Amino acid sequence: MERVNRKALIFCSIVIFSLVIGMIYVKYTNPTRQNRIFGVTYMTMNNPYYEVINNELLKVIEDNGDQLLVRDPALDVDKQIEQIYNFIDADVDGIFVNPIESSGLEEVLQAARDAGIPVIIIDAPVDNSELVNCTIVSDNYDAGVQCANDMMQRMDSANIILLKHSAVQSASDRIQGFLDTIEGNSNYQIINEGECEGQLEQAMPLMQSMLEETSDVDVVMALNDPSALGALAALESKGYSDVIVYGVDGTPELKQLINQSSMVAGTVAQSPITTGQIAAEKMYNIMNHQSIESEIIIPVTLINKNNINEYDETGWQ
């Protein structure tokens, strides 16, 4: 009887050992295993554009039975760096980063790379793209080009104010595309410019101050829709009605104003829905050991009175 019990004990031990080894094998070799954890840090969640991207990421990740840790550094670079280090310490499976600044993340991105954690950059590139697996951005330079071309079709000359966020490459590219398009044409003059970090609450008082300095303005080129909305509020508070404003994003708020306000010239539509979907898709490609592109540039389109009827004014594209 004792011999039988010993044999049964040995048999059970072998079975349990085999099950444990099998579970370990599945966990570390099956590319479709569930319960992965990803992290994402945005430059700020005080912008509906990033909320839409986040919703698309959540849809895909949660549909796969996985989890997304969402962090908002509120435009604080040091806090964003700390958040990425926290993701590394937590040994997440992958990290999405919407960088506050194009430079300054090299050390923490290198740490993620050394830890074997893939990183996908969203919406704004970093200076050293070799430290990340993929960068997904809109064609920001072309956004500025399209605004400038539309302006030149509308008017033969213009005094222009720029609302900028120069620390972020995507925003800088939009302004640069605009400037390069009007370069060499003395009929179009930049009479004032200022940094507003793409925030409505900063753009409005900044615009009011610039209007006091340079009142003879015809056009405002804003780096994004929130800053364009801030410019519109400032212009209305100062009694202006004949200035035209350009934004970049394609937010429901600015699309609705295209037919309601003569001052809204247009907004260049990005697609946060597409951006979020592509970012999630590429991260799962990495999880499945598939090769992906190092850079994906998503086309943009100017929305104005000529084509607003082709777009949903109550939602994003």
Side-chain angles (χ1 to χ4, degrees):
M1 185 61 120
E2 183 179 347
R3 183 178 300 172
V4 173
N5 288 341
R6 187 180 295 114
K7 287 182 178 180
L9 181 60
I10 293 172
F11 176 77
C12 290
S13 299
I14 292 173
V15 170
I16 293 171
F17 179 77
S18 299
L19 287 172
V20 171
I21 293 298
M23 291 171 62
I24 293 172
Y25 177 81
V26 168
K27 179 179 180 181
Y28 289 102
T29 63
N30 183 358
T32 62
R33 72 177 177 89
Q34 302 300 296
N35 302 317
R36 292 189 175 95
I37 298 177
F38 302 101
V40 60
T41 170
Y42 298 95
M43 64 173 67
T44 174
M45 291 302 284
N46 186 28
N47 184 331
Y49 181 81
Y50 299 125
E51 291 181 6
V52 177
I53 291 178
N54 193 63
N55 288 339
E56 295 304 315
L57 285 178
L58 277 171
K59 286 178 188 176
V60 177
I61 290 170
E62 291 182 350
D63 282 350
N64 279 275
D66 297 331
Q67 182 181 357
L68 181 65
L69 307 176
V70 182
R71 299 292 181 265
D72 176 8
L75 294 171
D76 185 328
V77 178
D78 292 334
K79 186 176 291 185
Q80 184 168 63
I81 291 171
E82 179 184 354
Q83 290 169 353
I84 299 172
Y85 273 121
N86 288 340
F87 289 150
I88 296 170
D89 292 340
D91 194 25
V92 298
D93 293 277
I95 302 173
F96 302 92
V97 179
N98 167 229
I100 294 172
E101 295 182 1
S102 299
S103 60
L105 298 181
E106 288 82 1
E107 184 177 323
V108 69
L109 292 177
Q110 183 64 59
R113 190 175 185 84
D114 292 343
I117 300 174
V119 174
I120 291 181
I121 298 296
I122 299 174
D123 185 57
V126 292
D127 288 345
N128 190 350
S129 60
E130 293 183 0
L131 295 176
V132 303
N133 296 75
C134 183
T135 299
I136 303 168
V137 294
S138 299
D139 194 339
N140 292 293
Y141 185 87
D142 189 48
V145 171
Q146 291 188 40
C147 290
N149 283 332
D150 186 79
M151 176 193 69
M152 291 190 289
Q153 290 174 8
R154 290 170 179 263
M155 51 185 63
D156 296 328
S157 63
N159 290 332
I160 305 162
I161 287 178
L162 304 177
L163 290 175
K164 308 190 298 181
H165 186 187
S166 300
V168 176
Q169 188 65 47
S170 57
S172 179
D173 285 346
R174 296 168 193 172
I175 299 300
Q176 195 60 52
F178 184 92
L179 291 174
D180 288 349
T181 306
I182 66 173
E183 185 178 11
N185 191 328
S186 60
N187 291 330
Y188 304 100
Q189 296 291 325
I190 307 301
I191 61 169
N192 213 332
E193 56 191 274
E195 301 284 339
C196 66
E197 295 188 319
Q199 301 295 296
L200 187 157
E201 61 270 20
Q202 294 186 41
M204 182 179 176
L206 174 63
M207 187 72 197
Q208 288 173 327
S209 176
M210 287 193 289
L211 289 172
E212 294 172 2
E213 298 169 1
T214 47
S215 59
D216 186 15
V217 58
D218 304 299
V219 177
V220 178
M221 174 60 199
L223 70 110
N224 65 0
D225 282 4
S227 56
L229 290 169
L232 287 165
L235 288 163
E236 291 172 357
S237 73
K238 294 288 186 179
Y240 285 80
S241 61
D242 56 353
V243 177
I244 63 172
V245 178
Y246 289 94
V248 177
D249 276 334
T251 61
E253 291 81 5
L254 212 61
K255 284 187 292 187
Q256 290 167 14
L257 288 174
I258 288 175
N259 282 328
Q260 297 174 13
S261 171
S262 60
M263 288 198 292
V264 180
T267 174
V268 177
Q270 303 188 88
S271 177
I273 294 175
T274 301
T275 300
Q277 291 173 346
I278 292 176
E281 174 192 343
K282 297 307 172 183
M283 183 62 81
Y284 277 103
N285 287 156
I286 296 171
M287 296 295 102
N288 293 327
H289 308 293
Q290 299 170 354
S291 61
I292 63 170
E293 307 92 321
S294 60
E295 181 181 54
I296 298 172
I297 300 177
I298 303 172
V300 295
T301 304
L302 176 69
I303 302 177
N304 55 23
K305 284 183 172 61
N306 297 328
N307 63 357
I308 183 61
N309 293 332
E310 301 172 17
Y311 292 85
D312 176 10
E313 295 180 33
T314 63
W316 288 83
Q317 49 286 329

